[in-house]
Amino acid sequence: MALINNMEQTQSFMKSLGFPDLRIHHSINHFDFTKTDRRILIIGPMGSGKSEFSARIYRDSEVAMRKSEKVRQLTTSDKVDRRNVFYIRSKIDDKRFAEYPANSIAYRGGYVVPGNNIATIEGSFELEKVFESNPTVGTWIIDEIEFFDERIAYVIDQYAKQQSLNFIFPMLILNFRKDLFNRTARLIMEESTDVFPLTAYCEHPDCIADSYYTYRFYSVEETECPALYFDPLIIVGGDRLTDDPKFPNYSTRCDHHHYLPGKEYTFMTLKPLGELAYGGNVKPLLKELNLLKHDIERSELYNHFFEKFIKVASPQPIMMDALKVSCIAEKALIYLFSEENIISAGQMQSLAKEIKADVGYINERLVENRKMQLADVDKES
Ligand SMILES: [Zn+2]
């Protein structure tokens, strides 16, 4: 595979993320099954072709498998054959590409079916079982590994040490907040040996710049409404545009068209309100949540946005559209509970009840973010 030496921009981007020194590749070569002990990251925003890349590796393996004994010798170590490719994905991601066969690696515009070499798992313990049942597999593609628990990074590390294997991780390295996705992503990144950075065109209609960023937005009555900074970290989206104000859409955007309102409010207002509640003074948080839920124009969030985005020399009305989405109070609660850990499950439960929150919505998000759910509250959804 050709190394790229002149991609200064990409290299400095990788460095800014904290990557170790590693090789950066063109993404157009066929996969080299003779090399071993590699941890290859395929990173890029949604729609940059990560799944298609995985499908291509599988197709390459089919070609390589038809080669002679000479090739077999180059691609095997003990009982492991690196042309034997196994594809793993997360259970929470299986809503995507619902129209394709369940046992396929699907991408926009097509799919491949890797026979029995595919599994949908919930976490690291299941992965250990899949490893045990497939001792001759030499190349493991683990899709969207950032959706799994941190333990998975160590499970892979231990297993990789025993054999001459390759691992491929098509993953989102950045979340919609442009932060490193999570600790699992960090751990996988730290052990990587190779990276294929994929980009996509900015999907804004006025723009054709290259982009690394995943943008989350809601569509409310055909208006693009940017996700707020404190929107739940993981919300599994479908592959089709949805107008349901509870479910986000994702697109790839350049820095300029990646709108992310509410970061200042999150740290200046919301988190301090949560800290007050943690200390026993729940009332100010309850008041703001009630306003977010039932009378948003009187909320501190609305006032902050009005000052910041409207009463200024160059107004940005699109930022106000972020307040048109539903379940903003629920999102604030989920953020304080599952990301900042500053309100307890009990507080979350009673606050949700007091503001007549959509508990169905809260619980779905907690499942996706691998957190305990609320119990014994009448469903309001
Ligand atoms: Zn753009």
Side-chain angles (χ1 to χ4, degrees):
M1 288 176 214
L3 293 177
I4 304 170
N5 295 316
N6 58 348
M7 284 181 65
E8 280 170 33
Q9 209 186 328
T10 305
Q11 269 166 346
S12 73
F13 175 72
M14 297 293 149
K15 244 188 187 157
S16 74
L17 292 176
F19 270 96
D21 271 336
L22 36 65
R23 296 179 289 276
I24 300 175
H25 295 268
H26 277 296
S27 58
I28 45 172
N29 308 79
H30 289 289
F31 194 75
D32 186 345
F33 293 101
T34 66
K35 291 208 175 75
T36 181
D37 296 300
R38 295 197 294 164
R39 317 279 181 86
I40 302 164
L41 304 191
I42 303 169
I43 61 169
M46 293 203 174
S48 59
K50 298 191 294 295
S51 300
E52 190 173 359
F53 198 103
S54 303
R56 199 161 60 211
I57 291 170
Y58 181 75
R59 280 198 299 258
D60 285 352
S61 79
E62 289 183 305
V63 175
M65 275 292 194
R66 292 196 290 268
K67 299 286 181 182
S68 71
E69 173 62 20
K70 263 190 180 165
V71 169
R72 195 194 68 81
Q73 283 173 13
L74 291 171
T75 62
T76 55
S77 316
D78 295 333
K79 58 188 172 182
V80 159
D81 189 341
R82 285 175 297 279
R83 297 171 302 171
N84 191 358
V85 174
F86 199 106
Y87 182 77
I88 299 221
R89 71 174 147 218
S90 160
K91 205 163 249 172
I92 65 167
D93 201 32
D94 64 8
K95 283 185 234 166
R96 265 199 316 154
F97 302 115
E99 68 271 33
Y100 291 107
N103 62 342
S104 65
I105 306 174
Y107 51 91
R108 279 163 211 204
Y111 64 90
V112 297
V113 180
N116 293 323
N117 278 12
I118 187 164
T120 302
I121 62 166
E122 274 186 75
S124 59
F125 292 97
E126 278 181 77
L127 181 63
E128 286 174 308
K129 286 185 196 137
V130 178
F131 282 160
E132 276 167 33
S133 328
N134 295 279
T136 61
V137 168
T139 298
W140 294 88
I141 302 176
I142 304 183
D143 199 23
E144 306 285 15
I145 193 155
E146 74 281 4
F147 286 164
F148 295 106
D149 52 308
E150 298 92 339
R151 186 176 176 275
I152 204 163
Y154 297 99
V155 166
I156 289 166
D157 209 38
Q158 286 177 6
Y159 191 67
K161 276 185 190 137
Q162 299 163 24
Q163 323 223 29
S164 303
L165 307 173
N166 288 322
F167 284 89
I168 297 158
F169 305 109
M171 67 191 290
L172 279 174
I173 202 94
L174 301 177
N175 57 35
F176 76 97
R177 296 177 192 147
K178 295 200 276 193
D179 293 331
L180 198 66
F181 201 95
N182 56 15
R183 280 191 301 206
T184 303
R186 162 71 67 189
L187 291 169
I188 291 296
M189 204 182 88
E190 284 171 355
E191 294 297 320
S192 58
T193 61
D194 298 68
V195 62
F196 291 83
L198 306 181
T199 62
Y201 282 140
C202 172
E203 288 179 306
H204 192 281
D206 301 339
C207 186
I208 195 166
D210 228 5
S211 169
Y212 285 109
Y213 300 116
T214 297
Y215 171 59
R216 182 191 286 176
F217 66 100
Y218 295 82
S219 176
V220 181
E221 288 157 9
E222 293 181 16
T223 303
E224 172 186 319
C225 304
L228 293 159
Y229 181 84
F230 58 85
D231 221 52
L233 182 59
I234 295 177
I235 303 183
V236 178
D239 200 44
R240 289 213 182 89
L241 195 74
T242 172
D243 256 323
D244 184 335
K246 280 186 188 172
F247 291 98
N249 298 286
Y250 293 95
S251 90
T252 299
R253 292 283 176 94
C254 70
D255 201 29
H256 181 67
H257 291 113
H258 186 286
Y259 310 111
L260 185 65
K263 188 168 184 176
E264 188 179 337
Y265 167 85
T266 301
F267 296 111
M268 284 290 287
T269 306
L270 180 60
K271 194 175 168 191
L273 287 175
E275 281 161 348
L276 275 181
Y278 177 76
N281 183 7
V282 182
K283 272 191 179 161
L285 176 60
L286 179 60
K287 183 186 172 198
E288 176 71 355
L289 290 172
N290 250 323
L291 291 171
L292 290 177
K293 182 74 188 166
H294 303 291
D295 192 3
I296 196 163
E297 291 192 16
R298 289 181 50 227
S299 68
E300 290 193 42
L301 177 62
Y302 188 94
N303 288 325
H304 169 72
F305 272 33
F306 198 76
E307 295 289 327
K308 193 176 165 77
F309 300 124
I310 300 301
K311 281 170 72 176
V312 288
S314 339
Q316 293 179 277
I318 188 165
M319 300 302 198
M320 296 305 286
D321 291 336
L323 304 180
K324 289 181 180 167
V325 307
S326 52
C327 298
I328 290 176
E330 286 83 349
K331 293 168 196 288
L333 264 176
I334 293 164
Y335 180 82
L336 294 175
F337 172 66
S338 81
E339 290 194 56
E340 296 290 349
N341 298 309
I342 45 180
I343 59 171
S344 66
Q347 282 181 319
M348 168 112 161
Q349 185 131 328
S350 71
L351 285 165
K353 199 171 180 182
E354 289 218 42
I355 66 166
K356 296 188 173 63
D358 181 338
V359 174
Y361 177 84
I362 292 176
N363 279 337
E364 279 175 40
R365 302 293 82 75
L366 293 181
V367 167
E368 287 171 332
N369 290 272
R370 309 183 66 83
K371 302 290 173 186
M372 190 177 66
Q373 296 175 62
L374 298 186
D376 305 315
V377 179
D378 296 329
K379 287 209 168 185
E380 303 286 343
S381 59

